[in-house]
Amino acid sequence: MRQDDLYINKIDWLTIFIYGALVCIGWINIYAAVYDEQAAKSIFDFSINSGKQLVWIGTAVLLITLIMVADYRLFENLSLILYGLFLFLILITPYVGKEVNGQILSIGFGNFRIQPAEFAKFATALTLAKYMERPSVDLSQPKYQMQVLLIIMIPVILICLQPDYGSAMIYSAFFIMLYREGMPQKYYALALTMVAVSLLALGIENNLYLVAGIVLVIIIIILLGKKSVGRIISLSLIGLLAIAYSYSLDYVVSKLPQHHQNRIMVLFNPDLDPLGVGWNVTQSKIAIGSGGFLGKGYLEGTQTKFDFVPEQHTDFIFCTLGEEFGWIGSLVVIFLFCALLIRLIMLAERQKNRFSRVYGYCVVSILMFHFTINIAMTIGLFPVIGIPLPFFSYGGSSLWSFTILLFIFIKLDSHRIQLLGRMS
C-alpha cells in the first residue's frame, strides 16, 4: 500500500462528517434568521447572509484542502511565526481596523475583513503545544506554570485593550488542557472558589450578607473540626481573603463600561430592564420556549420573522433553531456537538506525541467553551458576551478560525504513526 493511501485511511471521517452536519444545519438556520416572507429571496442569494455564508463555507473547504495536502510538520514549524503574526495584527487593529457597533475588532481591505482575535486562538494553541512538547516541561513546577501562563496572557491583554472582553475570556479555556497535562488541582479548587464567591458577591445586593455568610461557614467548620490555633488562623485568613475579594470585585465591575455592568446585573435580575439591556435574552428565551417539543416549522418562527431578537444570525443563532425545530432539533444539535467533543477527546488520547495531544486538547477546550457559553448565554444562564456558536453562527472569521483549528488536528491525527517515528 502506498504511503498516500495509508494517510487517507487514517483520516477521521467521522469527525469530518459531524463538522459538515453542523455547518449545513447552521447555514439553513442563518437563512431562517434573515428570512423575510414579504420579500423572500433564495438561500443562495449572495445579497443576504445565507448567500454570503455559502461563500465562506466554500472558502473554508479550500482551507481544508490546503491543510490536508500540506506537510503535517508545517504547523509545528510555523507555530511561533503564526503566534507573533496574529499578536501583531491584534495590536494594530485599533489603529487600522473598521469600527462596527462601537468596537474596532476587524481589519482588512474593502469588503474582505478578518478578526485577528479569532485566528489567534489556533496560533496560541499551536504555540502551547510547541512549548509543552519538550520533555523538560513539568507543570507541577512554578517556573513552567508561569511560562505557559505568559503564552496565554499576552493575547488576552492585547484583546482586552481593544476592548473585546468576550474574546479574551475564551482563552481561559486553555486551562482545561493544562489540567489534563498536569497543572496542580489546587489552582482549580481556588478558581472554583473564586467563581462561587464572585457569583455570590454579584448576586447578593448587600455585601454585608455575604460577609455574614462567610463568617458563619467558618465558625461551623471550626466547631465541627479540630479547634487548633493553626486551623482557626488559616480559616480566618481564607475568610478575610474571600471578603476582600468580594469587595474588590465590586470595585472592578464598577469600572467596566456601563453596558457590561448592565449585562452582569441582568443575569441575576432578568426583569431589571426587559425593554432595554435585558431585551436580547428575554426575547431569546421566549423564542426557544415557544418552539415547544417539535418546533413551529422551518421558516415559520414568529419571533424570528419579526426580528424580536437582535444578532439572531450570529450570537443568538441557537434561538432560531429552538423556535423552528423545537426541543427535538435543539437536542440533535447539542448531541452533535457533544459527539464531536467526545470524539476529539478520544483522538487526543490516542496521539503518539505530546505536541499533537496538547493541541488536540486545546481544540476540545476552545470548542467546548464556545459551545457551552453561547448556549448558556441564549437561555439566560450567562451574561451576553458576544461569542459565536462554532460552525453555526454567521461570519467568515468565526467559520474560518474554527475550521483551521479543527482540521489542523485532524491532519496531525492522520499522521500519528509518522509522528511516533520521529520520536523514536
Side-chain angles (χ1 to χ4, degrees), residues 77 194 211 345 414:
N77 295 334
M194 291 176 67
V211 171
I345 291 172
S414 67

Side-chain angles (χ1 to χ4, degrees), residues 19 23 52-68 391 395-404 407:
Y19 163 83
V23 169
K52 296 174 184 176
Q53 186 72 2
L54 187 60
V55 174
W56 292 118
I57 292 171
T59 50
V61 172
L62 177 60
L63 286 173
I64 291 169
T65 304
L66 293 174
I67 290 171
M68 299 309 286
F391 315 122
S397 289
S398 169
L399 179 61
W400 276 17
S401 64
F402 287 125
T403 298
I404 294 170
F407 277 87

Side-chain angles (χ1 to χ4, degrees), residues 134-414:
R134 295 186 297 173
S136 60
V137 174
D138 181 0
L139 291 183
S140 65
Q141 299 181 26
K143 169 187 174 182
Y144 298 109
Q145 295 167 9
M146 294 302 297
Q147 290 172 353
V148 296
L149 184 62
L150 182 64
I151 294 172
I152 296 170
M153 288 306 298
I154 291 175
V156 168
I157 292 170
L158 294 178
I159 293 169
C160 285
L161 292 175
Q162 292 186 338
D164 183 8
Y165 302 118
S167 295
M169 187 179 293
I170 296 300
Y171 286 76
S172 62
F174 288 119
F175 285 90
I176 300 173
M177 174 276 295
L178 294 177
Y179 179 82
R180 166 62 181 83
E181 294 302 317
M183 184 71 84
Q185 294 183 4
K186 60 184 178 182
Y187 296 125
Y188 295 87
L190 176 63
L192 289 174
T193 301
M194 291 176 67
V195 169
V197 173
S198 299
L199 291 173
L200 289 171
L202 294 171
I204 298 175
E205 193 167 331
N206 191 335
N207 265 1
L208 291 177
Y209 293 114
L210 177 60
V211 171
I214 292 173
V215 171
L216 180 62
V217 169
I218 290 174
I219 292 173
I220 292 173
I221 293 174
I222 291 173
L223 292 176
L224 293 177
K226 297 178 181 178
K227 300 179 181 62
S228 65
V229 175
R231 179 183 177 85
I232 293 173
I233 292 174
S234 298
L235 288 172
S236 299
L237 287 174
I238 292 172
L240 288 172
L241 288 172
I243 293 168
Y245 173 74
S246 67
Y247 278 98
S248 63
L249 183 67
D250 282 347
Y251 174 78
V252 171
V253 170
S254 69
K255 297 300 180 182
L256 292 174
Q258 189 60 47
H259 67 281
H260 287 300
Q261 294 184 44
N262 293 338
R263 288 173 179 178
I264 294 172
M265 292 303 104
V266 164
L267 176 67
F268 299 97
N269 185 4
D271 299 323
L272 180 66
D273 187 12
L275 298 179
V277 70
W279 175 266
N280 286 21
V281 174
T282 300
Q283 296 303 317
S284 175
K285 290 192 287 186
I286 291 173
I288 294 171
S290 66
F293 187 72
L294 295 175
K296 297 176 180 176
Y298 187 53
L299 304 181
E300 297 298 325
T302 53
Q303 294 290 113
T304 297
K305 282 182 181 179
F306 296 109
D307 295 326
F308 281 105
V309 186
E311 308 300 332
Q312 193 162 339
H313 59 295
T314 54
D315 301 338
F316 284 87
I317 189 69
F318 187 76
C319 72
T320 302
L321 174 77
E323 182 180 21
E324 299 195 345
F325 294 94
W327 184 85
I328 288 294
S330 301
L331 182 64
V332 169
V333 170
I334 290 173
F335 172 80
L336 285 172
F337 272 110
C338 290
L340 177 63
L341 292 172
I342 292 170
R343 184 60 183 169
L344 290 175
I345 291 172
M346 294 171 61
L347 298 186
E349 285 296 330
R350 77 181 186 184
Q351 297 310 301
K352 306 301 182 181
N353 74 337
R354 197 179 189 189
F355 176 85
S356 298
R357 186 180 72 238
V358 169
Y359 182 78
Y361 269 99
C362 285
V363 176
V364 172
S365 302
I366 292 171
L367 293 180
M368 182 169 69
F369 199 93
H370 266 274
F371 160 65
T372 305
I373 297 301
N374 180 274
I375 292 181
M377 190 176 71
T378 60
I379 60 177
L381 296 180
F382 199 85
V384 177
I385 59 173
I387 62 172
L389 187 60
F391 315 122
F392 220 85
S393 295
Y394 170 79
S397 289
S398 169
L399 179 61
W400 276 17
S401 64
F402 287 125
T403 298
I404 294 170
L405 178 77
L406 176 63
F407 277 87
I408 286 176
F409 181 50
I410 292 175
K411 174 69 173 181
L412 293 173
D413 174 69
S414 67

